[in-house]
Amino acid sequence: MPGSGRSVDYFTVGANTNPTGGPVGAPGNFTGAESAHSGTAYAGIFCYYDQQGDYREYIQQQLQQPLIAGEWYTLTIWVSLADYSGYAVENLGACISSAQPIQSWLYPVLDNFTPQVVCTTAITTTQGWVPISYTFQATGVEEWITIGSFEIDLVQQHPAVVPAPLPYSWNPFAISNTNLNLGSYYYIDDITLERVPDPCFTWQDDCDAVNYYNSTFCPQLIVSEWWDFGDPASGANNFSTSSNPSHVFTQNNVQYTVTHIIWTANNTYTC
């Protein structure tokens, strides 16, 4: 991010070394080994580092134009914890803002911005990718997307994980002598922001359960409702009559079709 003295790493098939002497290829590189979620490349950032208080790196992009007020969008990010990381982090996510978040060297955490897209559980997956997604209605001023960890070390939860042994015969960071086993490093791929039809429900994927929210109907008009999560392997949990249910899907990287039926006094609506 400009002005912070920090940068995003870029890993791609066919790449060998960077100026600090570490491989930046894909799948194998100085942080572990992971194939791209799609294509041939992905990015990587530190979301926590044990010996440099509040050290953070962020991915940031300005949109070509602000989002359209009143329209609905889905933001999806695919993430994977690097093999040599000694920690994971909770509340990894993205902030969609009108102003550009600015990171400084002296105060590197963007805790004055609130991410709308968060994974409330620690992502510990090192083999394969986990999606973080959020569907929202734009106000018309959103122009910047910033991805990373927005909590200071005092409140951030960073559970320890068992890292793969460091295979280094070289120094991965010649300047900072960084030991990846002391940090939480995430690969980031396939960041998409898509305009979607006006839904009659919204959802928040917290990487464990998917939480659904009725967004169109005033609760006082609803007589009853029914949810079918399209996940028969979950048994009786495949269905719900709650207004705001939560469902843990039985498989990752599988597209499920969720059906929401609402009965009012005069009509039936299916989403």
Side-chain angles (χ1 to χ4, degrees), residues 37 78-79 125 127-131 249-256:
H37 180 256
W78 289 86
V79 302
T125 299
Q127 301 298 316
W129 297 83
V130 174
F249 289 93
T250 54
Q251 296 185 61
N252 293 324
N253 301 327
V254 172
Q255 182 173 340
Y256 292 92

Side-chain angles (χ1 to χ4, degrees), residues 10-13 26 36-43 188-190:
Y10 181 76
F11 305 103
T12 185
V13 172
H37 180 256
S38 69
T40 60
Y42 51 86
I188 310 292
D189 199 7
D190 283 346

Side-chain angles (χ1 to χ4, degrees), residues 42 44 60 117 145 177-178 183 193-194 261:
Y42 51 86
Q60 187 178 86
V117 187
I145 297 177
N177 294 313
T178 301
L193 179 64
E194 300 178 302
I261 303 176

Side-chain angles (χ1 to χ4, degrees), residues 79 92 118-123 130-133 204-210 252:
V79 302
L92 174 64
V118 291
C119 183
T120 57
T121 58
I123 299 174
V130 174
I132 305 174
S133 64
Q204 174 73 50
D205 182 355
D206 69 3
C207 309
D208 181 15
V210 180
N252 293 324

Side-chain angles (χ1 to χ4, degrees), residues 167-242:
Y168 302 144
S169 58
W170 36 262
N171 184 350
F173 286 97
I175 297 175
S176 61
N177 294 313
T178 301
N179 184 339
L180 285 167
N181 286 174
L182 300 177
S184 178
Y185 191 94
Y186 282 92
Y187 301 133
I188 310 292
D189 199 7
D190 283 346
I191 304 166
T192 59
L193 179 64
E194 300 178 302
R195 188 173 170 185
V196 295
D198 186 352
C200 65
F201 62 88
T202 61
W203 63 90
Q204 174 73 50
D205 182 355
D206 69 3
C207 309
D208 181 15
V210 180
N211 304 305
Y212 292 87
Y213 308 94
N214 178 9
S215 64
T216 299
F217 288 84
C218 177
Q220 289 81 0
L221 298 178
I222 297 175
V223 175
S224 62
E225 49 192 312
W226 173 264
W227 297 80
D228 181 340
F229 300 107
D231 182 20
S234 63
N237 293 327
N238 188 45
F239 308 102
S240 177
T241 57
S242 171

Side-chain angles (χ1 to χ4, degrees), residues 60-211:
Q60 187 178 86
Q61 178 63 49
Q62 184 178 18
L63 303 179
Q64 292 182 347
Q65 59 187 23
L67 301 184
I68 301 173
E71 295 297 319
W72 289 85
Y73 296 84
T74 294
L75 174 64
T76 302
I77 308 162
W78 289 86
V79 302
S80 180
L81 181 65
D83 298 270
Y84 305 144
S85 294
Y87 297 89
V89 295
E90 296 180 359
N91 296 317
L92 174 64
C95 176
I96 308 166
S97 59
S98 57
Q100 179 185 13
I102 301 297
Q103 183 187 29
S104 71
W105 179 259
L106 294 177
Y107 195 77
V109 183
L110 299 176
D111 62 329
N112 56 330
F113 285 82
T114 301
Q116 298 92 337
V117 187
V118 291
C119 183
T120 57
T121 58
I123 299 174
T124 59
T125 299
T126 58
Q127 301 298 316
W129 297 83
V130 174
I132 305 174
S133 64
Y134 178 62
T135 297
F136 64 98
Q137 189 173 29
T139 62
V141 298
E142 300 89 347
E143 193 172 355
W144 291 88
I145 297 177
T146 306
I147 298 169
S149 173
F150 294 80
E151 293 185 340
I152 62 174
D153 285 354
L154 291 176
V155 297
Q156 182 192 61
Q157 298 298 309
H158 38 264
V161 297
V162 179
L166 289 170
Y168 302 144
S169 58
W170 36 262
N171 184 350
F173 286 97
I175 297 175
S176 61
N177 294 313
T178 301
N179 184 339
L180 285 167
N181 286 174
L182 300 177
S184 178
Y185 191 94
Y186 282 92
Y187 301 133
I188 310 292
D189 199 7
D190 283 346
I191 304 166
T192 59
L193 179 64
E194 300 178 302
R195 188 173 170 185
V196 295
D198 186 352
C200 65
F201 62 88
T202 61
W203 63 90
Q204 174 73 50
D205 182 355
D206 69 3
C207 309
D208 181 15
V210 180
N211 304 305

